[in-house]
Structures are given as C-alpha cells and as structure tokens.
Amino acid sequence: MLAKLEGLEKKFIELEQELANPDIFNDQEKYRKLTKAHADLKGIVDTFRKYRAAQQELAENKALMHDADPDIREMAQEEVRAAEEALPALEQELKIMLLPKDPLDEKNTILEIRAGTGGDEAALFAADLFRMYSRYAETRGWKVEIMSESPTDGGGYKEIICLVSGDKVYSRLKFEAGTHRVQRVPATEAQGRIHTSAATVAVMPEAEEVDADIRPEDLRIDIYRASGAGGQHVNKTESAIRITHLPTGLVVTCQDERSQHKNRAKAMKVLASRLLAMREAAQNAEVSADRKAQVGSGDRSERIRTYNFPQGRCTDHRVNLTLYSLDRIMMGEIDPLLEALSTAAQTEALKQQAEA
C-alpha cells in the first residue's frame, strides 16, 4: 500500500510542476485535464502526508520515552498514545481511497420513479419521492430536467423520468434504486387506517453516444398525437414519439415537448441510458442482466426502504438503519442514508479485496 501511495504522491508532484508552467494556459484542454487529475489526487495525497507525519511523530516520541527528563517522558507517552489512536483511522481512510473507482460515478443520472402497488396513494408517493430527490439535488447545486411524465388527476405520478446533472450525481444516487415502501393514512381514508403502498426507483448513468452504440436499424420509431394535459397543441400536432429497441424490446415514449425533434432527442437519451444500465448489469455477476432486477416488481414485500409517517421514521433495510426524522428526509435531507449505504459498500469492497 505504501509503495502505491508513494507513486501517487510522485504523480501529484509532477502534475503540480506541469500546472506551474505558464505555457500550460495556451492549451486549455490539456490544462483542464491536468487540473482534474490534480484535484482527483489531492485528497488521497493530503491524507497520506498526514499519515506519514503521524508515523514520524510516533517514532520520534517513542525515542523520547527513554529521555532522562521525566516530564519529557510523560509528554512523549501522551503523544505516542495520541498517534497510535490516530494511525488506524488514517490507514482505514487510505484503504478506502485506494479502492477502485466506479467509472460511472462521475456521470449524470437518469432517474425513473414509478407508482407500484397502492393505486392513487402509490402515485402520490411517487410524486413525494420526486420532490425529495429534487430538493436534495437543489442542495447540491444539481440540475433536474423532466424527460417524461405521466401525472394523475390527484396530483401524483404513474411515472416520471428526469435527468439529474451535476458533480458526481451517480455516485450519490446509485444507492436509491429499488422499491420504496410507504405506510401512512391517505387523505381519503375516513376510518384513519394506515395504508401501505410502494413506488419503484430506477437509477441509471446518463449514456453518451459512445456508450450506447445504438444502430438505426435496431429502432422502430412511431410518431403520434400527444394526449392529456399540455395546451392547445395536444391532439393537433403529431409530436409524441415512441421508440422501440427491437433487440431488447425496450420501449421509450416522450410527449412533453411541442417539438417532435425535442421529444425524439429526449427519448433517445433515456433509451441510451437504459441500454447502458442493462449492459453494466450484465457485466456484473452479482446483478441480473434484466433491468427489472434493479427495481423489483413494485410489490410491497420487495423493499429497500420504508417510510412510516405515523411514527415519523424511515428505515433502510439494507443497512438496518432507522432514522426518526422523516419530515426532514422528505424535504431532501437524505445524506445520512446515503452516507450509511456508501460506508457499507466500501466495507464490503474492502472485505472482498482482503479475501482476493
């Protein structure tokens, strides 16, 4: 591990030297690449230097423990104890930093939320989840763009698909994929009984053209008139798009825009991201190639998280974490959940690395 860290520090110093050269500003593309590489290494190099300084301090204070002056020996003993406490945490932090990075972590994300079991209440919960993620995105400075939506009369969503753009979006939201279950008393429930409903969330890295590799002959594109709310253009212009990917049977529709070309562009972006997600799943031995494995069937029994409104609690069943701050979570304060899931994933990765 130390040899690898020393190599990274050497590379970091070389990047600093290159960035210090005034001529680098003449090549903006190279400058951007070097700046990003430097920023990517800074955290681990800073931690490594802190770790090395603690080791050096430990060695020096161990030597002082044999000093003739009792006050110096006592002070050295305290310093040794502090360094011995700090080093394991720094070492663990370095091990996590050295874990292979998911190449998709930097990508923007296509977020799909669908109502599952529970009828109108499930649709309302799907809308609640969309608001929760939108508020979280706002706190991180991310942009949310609705790609496609199927609203209900009661203010919910049968389905809503959006693109979330920003810094390392997929690295944070990838843990949200699965079935989310809600327990609460619907507004229409006269007897005050608690109902259980569910919504599914799919999280896919945004695919670029080079990622997707979609052949025109593999597509069937249907153009039709939009339906539902949308203003005067609805049912008057054929602007809605349905794209079917023949090899996989994936179907994407989009009618949100007045322009046929804009709807087509949005539908292609969603299709490309779904295909990329399927390919990544197929390459991962732990995940089924079937995209439905990510979200389950939307049945109440399959869930990753439960939102219990009467008790004000939210439980993530993957890490057995229960938080009694549901009101804040629904307002977008989901970092405590995401941090716990990220830590669990890192712990598992370290365990697999140790067993390899």
Side-chain angles (χ1 to χ4, degrees):
M1 184 179 83
L2 289 175
K4 190 169 185 178
L5 288 165
E6 285 167 357
L8 291 174
E9 184 183 35
K10 183 181 176 184
K11 177 64 177 174
F12 182 75
I13 293 168
E14 289 171 358
L15 288 168
E16 281 189 323
Q17 290 170 347
E18 284 191 78
L19 287 168
N21 184 349
D23 295 337
I24 193 64
F25 293 104
N26 297 327
D27 187 342
Q28 283 298 305
E29 182 63 26
K30 186 178 180 182
Y31 175 72
R32 278 193 294 270
K33 286 181 179 179
L34 290 176
T35 302
K36 186 181 184 307
H38 182 268
D40 288 344
L41 285 176
K42 189 175 189 311
I44 192 167
V45 169
D46 285 349
T47 305
F48 174 49
R49 287 172 174 172
K50 196 184 297 183
Y51 174 78
R52 194 169 50 198
Q55 280 190 317
Q56 180 67 27
E57 195 174 332
L58 178 63
E60 290 172 356
N61 281 296
K62 277 186 174 179
L64 288 173
M65 286 173 68
H66 303 289
D67 196 274
D69 189 327
D71 291 337
I72 290 178
R73 288 201 305 271
E74 185 179 350
M75 184 177 66
Q77 201 166 14
E78 289 177 7
E79 294 292 335
V80 165
R81 190 161 46 245
E84 286 178 339
E85 287 177 2
L87 278 168
L90 287 169
E91 189 172 336
Q92 180 73 359
E93 192 176 345
L94 287 169
K95 284 179 180 177
I96 290 171
M97 286 178 158
L98 284 172
L99 285 172
K101 298 288 187 294
D102 184 343
L104 301 175
D105 277 352
E106 301 283 336
K107 296 225 176 221
N108 295 329
T109 294
I110 300 283
L111 192 66
E112 299 185 357
I113 305 171
R114 291 184 178 83
T117 309
D120 290 340
E121 180 63 16
L124 288 170
F125 181 51
D128 289 339
L129 288 176
F130 174 66
R131 280 189 291 271
M132 179 182 79
Y133 293 126
S134 297
R135 286 162 176 160
Y136 179 66
E138 188 178 343
T139 64
R140 298 190 73 87
W142 296 343
K143 178 185 174 186
V144 178
E145 176 190 358
I146 295 176
M147 309 292 286
S148 175
E149 58 183 324
S150 180
T152 63
D153 293 337
Y157 287 111
K158 292 178 185 175
E159 171 190 276
I160 182 162
I161 302 172
C162 62
L163 171 65
V164 187
S165 311
D167 182 41
K168 298 180 180 177
V169 177
Y170 186 70
S171 70
R172 301 298 291 175
L173 294 184
K174 62 184 177 183
F175 300 110
E176 293 302 288
T179 298
H180 297 240
R181 184 177 68 169
V182 62
Q183 296 170 327
R184 64 183 173 189
V185 179
T188 55
E189 172 55 63
Q191 304 297 321
R193 290 173 299 187
I194 296 172
H195 287 227
T196 300
S197 308
T200 62
V201 176
V203 182
M204 298 168 294
E206 180 190 17
E208 298 168 17
E209 287 184 25
V210 292
D211 298 324
D213 190 25
I214 300 172
R215 299 187 305 173
E217 58 266 33
D218 288 340
L219 301 177
R220 186 176 73 237
I221 300 176
D222 300 309
I223 302 166
Y224 59 99
R225 290 184 181 180
S227 61
Q232 294 180 354
H233 80 291
V234 171
N235 295 324
K236 290 189 178 180
T237 60
E238 293 193 336
S239 59
I241 293 284
R242 181 190 298 110
I243 301 178
T244 304
H245 187 250
L246 300 174
T248 61
L250 282 175
V251 179
V252 179
T253 61
C254 187
Q255 63 174 33
D256 285 18
E257 299 286 347
R258 292 173 182 266
S259 161
Q260 182 188 123
H261 297 294
K262 287 182 179 179
N263 281 329
R264 178 172 176 151
K266 282 188 172 184
M268 283 296 293
K269 185 171 284 193
V270 173
L271 175 63
S273 295
R274 286 184 184 174
L275 289 170
L276 175 61
M278 287 183 72
R279 191 166 71 237
E280 290 296 324
Q283 291 171 354
N284 188 338
E286 297 174 357
V287 181
S288 168
D290 186 348
R291 185 172 157 274
K292 290 179 182 176
Q294 191 190 62
V295 299
S297 66
D299 186 79
R300 285 183 293 252
S301 62
E302 298 177 357
R303 82 279 188 202
I304 61 166
R305 191 178 295 152
T306 296
Y307 304 74
N308 186 297
F309 278 76
Q311 296 178 17
R313 67 172 168 83
C314 181
T315 299
D316 196 292
H317 305 287
R318 294 163 294 179
V319 287
N320 295 319
L321 173 66
T322 296
L323 300 173
Y324 288 89
S325 54
L326 184 56
D327 54 341
R328 295 202 302 274
I329 287 169
M330 298 312 294
M331 289 295 291
E333 295 183 25
I334 59 174
D335 266 329
L337 293 163
L338 300 185
E339 290 294 344
L341 291 161
S342 178
T343 300
Q346 290 167 349
T347 302
E348 182 61 28
L350 286 170
K351 181 181 173 184
Q352 290 179 5
Q353 193 177 70
E355 291 172 352

